[in-house]
Amino acid sequence: MTEPIVRRRGRPRDADLEDRVYDAVIEVYSETSWRGFTLDAVGRRARVGRAALYRRWATKDELLVQALEARSPLPVPIDTGALRSDLVELVTQLLRGYRTTPGLVSLRVALDARVHPDLLAHLTTTLNRSRLVAARTIVLRAVERGELPREVSVTLLLEMVTGAALSHVLFSLAGPAADDDAYARTLVDAAIRALIAKREHDPGPVT
């Protein structure tokens, strides 16, 4: 009688491997920046073997992008029906996102890209694309509704709002998350007033 063939199961997939690796990426990069960031360092922190790590990610920049996309708080789609409330929600999301460790790591990548443009410039483009699209959509939608003139500078408005939000997180003496909603409303009102005043004295094209 022929013995039945017993098929051995392969090694079970490590269901939480990606989670551990992505967490390790954020930790390692926040401590070392680009110079000390390596796949081996991530593997040691995540307790993942070298072979398993290199099978999934060929380069450290590929791993960094995936980890930041998975861990960075990206903007939730915003459409409240009005420019002011859209921008207030955008600023609130930015403030909360920048205060997280992944948010701060994203900023560190942007700074490192100034020193290593050939290595990191495309990373910042990838990471910022969704934020830029979301923000520009808000302003262009307001133009279509007639809330802003067609000649308004989209870029300038977004720089005023997003730049001030970042500065508030980095330099505010009020401490983390101190009345973000009130700050967002004040910032948005000031930005819209300033842009409209500029438009009246210095007309220019939408950019």
Side-chain angles (χ1 to χ4, degrees):
M1 181 175 174
T2 304
E3 297 262 344
I5 298 174
V6 178
R7 298 188 181 277
R8 295 182 179 274
R9 285 188 173 186
R11 186 176 180 178
R13 184 176 180 273
D14 188 347
D16 71 343
L17 183 143
E18 282 189 0
D19 280 340
R20 287 190 286 118
V21 169
Y22 291 160
D23 287 343
V25 167
I26 300 302
E27 293 173 7
V28 171
Y29 202 99
S30 67
E31 295 169 4
T32 68
S33 74
W34 180 252
R35 179 172 297 179
F37 179 75
T38 65
L39 285 175
D40 288 344
V42 170
R44 288 192 297 271
R45 182 68 59 92
R47 302 184 308 282
V48 174
R50 180 187 178 91
L53 200 64
Y54 278 83
R55 276 198 302 270
R56 289 173 179 254
W57 297 282
T59 62
K60 68 177 186 177
D61 51 340
E62 176 187 336
L63 173 56
L64 180 59
V65 168
Q66 290 187 22
L68 287 175
E69 287 179 338
R71 290 291 181 266
S72 294
L74 300 178
V76 176
I78 300 169
D79 188 0
T80 67
L83 172 66
R84 181 180 184 273
S85 50
D86 278 357
L87 289 177
V88 167
E89 177 60 25
L90 175 65
V91 171
T92 302
Q93 288 187 21
L94 289 173
L95 292 173
R96 292 170 181 165
Y98 284 142
R99 289 197 179 98
T100 65
T101 301
L104 292 175
V105 168
S106 295
L107 295 177
R108 192 163 192 176
V109 170
L111 292 175
D112 285 345
R114 306 287 294 185
V115 181
H116 308 284
D118 294 340
L119 297 173
L120 291 172
H122 68 288
L123 297 188
T124 55
T125 299
T126 300
L127 296 171
N128 288 331
R129 186 177 297 119
S130 61
R131 294 178 175 85
L132 291 173
V133 169
R136 290 183 66 86
T137 298
I138 288 172
V139 179
L140 294 175
R141 202 165 50 214
V143 171
E144 292 300 317
R145 287 195 298 255
E147 293 180 274
L148 289 172
R150 290 192 175 275
E151 297 81 8
V152 72
S153 173
V154 177
T155 301
L156 180 58
L157 178 55
L158 295 179
E159 286 178 346
M160 292 167 66
V161 170
T162 59
L166 173 58
S167 178
H168 184 69
V169 170
L170 295 178
F171 304 113
S172 174
L173 299 178
D179 205 359
D180 282 350
D181 292 339
Y183 175 78
R185 291 192 296 269
T186 300
L187 169 59
V188 168
D189 288 342
I192 292 175
R193 283 197 303 269
L195 196 65
I196 291 175
K198 179 184 182 302
R199 172 69 187 103
E200 292 174 352
H201 297 286
D202 180 25
V206 176
T207 57

